[in-house]
Amino acid sequence: MSPNGTNGTTEPKHGKMMSQNEYMPDLPAKHLNTPVEVTPSPEEKTTGHFNDANIKLFLSGMHRDGVVILKDIINPDHLDVINEFMIEDTKNELSKENLYKNFGAENIQQGPPLTPPKYFFDDVYLNKLLFHAVNLYLGPNATWNMVSGNNALPHGVKRQPVHSDAMCNHPPAPFYVVANVYTCDASAANGSTEIWLGTHHFNTEAQTPPGPKGETHITDEYVAERQKTLPGIQPTVKKGSILFRDMRLWHAGVCNKSDDMRFMIALGFSASWWHGTAKFRVPAETGVFERIIHGTKGQGITPLMIELPPEEYEKLRDAHDFSDVEKMTYEGEIF
Ligand SMILES: O=C(O)CCC(=O)C(=O)O
């Protein structure tokens, strides 16, 4: 420590303290209301590990804003293949009676295809840089317990209310993250998710009381207050990048005014100390289970999966039944 209490890196230069912008030029100033982008080098992509400078940037973005874009870590051609599948899948979905729409908006829950193998890409489901990011933010031995997806349907006219996916009592600490993988370029033009930077620091005090299905949203008062300083924004996320967000972050599915669907995969990870009950389903006897077990080995990630007969899996692929609520271990106590 220097006499003025700073460490070596922020040592006064010519009698003047370095500005935050000089110290971390890749960290956009808070008032710019722009998420941090972390771009790994070819070497980091090969090793599957971020270097120290990118770790510093990533953690700064996550702790300050609750969201970071991990740039260009998936081959976009792989996402084209999944997107093609989803276009056909959406036609089937839309023909279903009583199709459930998330918050009544033109946004539906759809799981991505895990089989046949031509749809299972390691850089989507077993991405080492993603796993490294999860471990950096949530600590070692995080569990992976959600695979789902959201489709913002074309020509949307109704948006979702601002909400947090942490709809239960939760600690004021990172305990769950969602990796959103858009299967197309996403921006305000086609309904990229509205995100409210820094709102992961709020807790249930900002939420409406839970409705019949446990759903809540952010109260009008809190939204109006935040709107004055750091309103929600729609990020531009290139196909191949991941929108990595703390589950507590306020966000909303907004109208996709374009002619094409905007699908995004959602992979969810929980801190090892969070006693959630969720598991994701995989089709049995297809090799998916084994591939995930092998692909997560040594990566500090424990996948929690249930194998189902393929027909049953297919029926439940689009289920809207994820819950992050903690397990009650005995009456009245959660630990
Ligand atoms: O699809 C999106 O952009 C976000 C959807 C969402 O937040 C939800 O359905 O709860």
Side-chain angles (χ1 to χ4, degrees):
M1 283 293 208
S2 67
N4 66 3
T6 62
N7 64 25
T9 49
T10 49
E11 203 70 43
K13 213 170 65 178
H14 313 303
K16 206 167 139 258
M17 185 70 79
M18 228 187 253
S19 71
Q20 187 65 22
N21 186 252
E22 286 170 303
Y23 172 55
M24 288 185 72
D26 292 331
L27 182 72
K30 191 174 165 183
H31 72 272
L32 295 176
N33 205 14
T34 303
V36 166
E37 294 187 336
V38 177
T39 309
S41 63
E43 195 193 339
E44 288 167 278
K45 288 185 188 175
T46 306
T47 59
H49 261 71
F50 290 104
N51 64 30
D52 286 351
N54 272 339
I55 292 175
K56 181 160 71 172
L57 184 61
F58 166 73
L59 288 176
S60 300
M62 285 309 296
H63 287 283
R64 189 186 69 177
D65 302 332
V67 60
V68 161
I69 295 172
L70 305 176
K71 275 198 86 179
D72 301 328
I73 67 170
I74 297 173
N75 181 341
D77 296 345
H78 296 171
L79 297 169
D80 286 342
V81 175
I82 298 174
N83 202 61
E84 280 303 307
F85 174 94
M86 294 314 301
I87 290 173
E88 287 310 307
D89 195 59
T90 302
K91 290 183 191 153
N92 294 336
E93 280 303 292
L94 294 179
S95 66
K96 284 185 187 163
E97 265 180 51
N98 304 325
L99 179 65
Y100 182 83
K101 294 189 175 156
N102 292 317
F103 289 97
E106 294 88 1
N107 185 298
I108 59 173
Q109 207 69 28
Q110 266 170 296
L114 298 177
T115 51
K118 66 174 179 179
Y119 293 121
F120 190 105
F121 296 102
D122 285 2
D123 60 355
V124 175
Y125 300 107
L126 300 169
N127 189 303
K128 291 189 174 143
L129 283 171
L130 172 62
F131 290 163
H132 189 208
V134 170
N135 276 296
L136 288 167
Y137 191 56
L138 295 181
N141 305 319
T143 57
W144 173 18
N145 62 13
M146 197 249 297
V147 174
S148 186
N150 285 82
N151 194 345
L153 300 170
H155 311 298
V157 291
K158 188 170 187 288
R159 56 162 290 151
Q160 296 182 340
V162 182
H163 60 279
S164 156
D165 285 340
M167 296 191 183
C168 58
N169 286 323
H170 58 267
F175 71 98
Y176 202 96
V177 292
V178 179
N180 280 139
V181 181
Y182 292 99
T183 53
C184 56
D185 290 333
S187 69
N190 63 349
S192 67
T193 312
E194 180 181 279
I195 48 174
W196 293 64
L197 271 54
T199 51
H200 59 309
H201 295 303
F202 290 100
N203 208 311
T204 45
E205 78 281 357
Q207 298 178 345
T208 55
K213 285 175 137 184
E215 75 285 7
T216 99
H217 49 86
I218 307 302
T219 66
D220 292 347
E221 291 75 17
Y222 273 88
V223 172
E225 196 51 38
R226 191 70 177 189
Q227 180 79 32
K228 292 180 200 158
T229 51
L230 293 172
I233 54 142
Q234 283 185 268
T236 293
V237 186
K238 258 186 68 211
K239 182 171 56 179
S241 301
I242 295 183
L243 186 75
F244 187 95
R245 66 173 164 87
D246 187 309
M247 189 197 221
R248 296 169 293 165
L249 194 78
W250 300 359
H251 65 281
V254 290
C255 303
N256 169 8
K257 296 198 185 298
S258 80
D259 297 334
D260 301 313
M261 55 157 232
R262 185 242 61 200
F263 182 64
M264 71 179 184
I265 301 168
L267 308 176
F269 302 87
S270 159
S272 67
W273 48 264
W274 176 259
H275 293 188
T277 54
K279 291 184 176 181
F280 64 92
R281 305 178 187 99
V282 292
E285 289 163 29
T286 55
V288 172
F289 182 93
E290 292 73 16
R291 196 158 167 188
I292 290 178
I293 291 291
H294 286 290
T296 49
K297 207 187 290 176
Q299 301 302 316
I301 297 288
T302 305
L304 299 180
M305 297 179 274
I306 306 174
E307 282 189 289
L308 291 180
E311 322 75 63
E312 209 179 319
Y313 163 79
E314 199 46 45
K315 275 195 215 134
L316 290 167
R317 180 163 54 82
D318 303 328
H320 182 269
D321 60 355
F322 175 77
S323 165
D324 56 323
V325 173
E326 272 183 302
K327 180 165 61 192
M328 300 284 270
T329 46
Y330 60 87
E331 198 180 353
E333 185 157 3
I334 297 172
F335 65 93

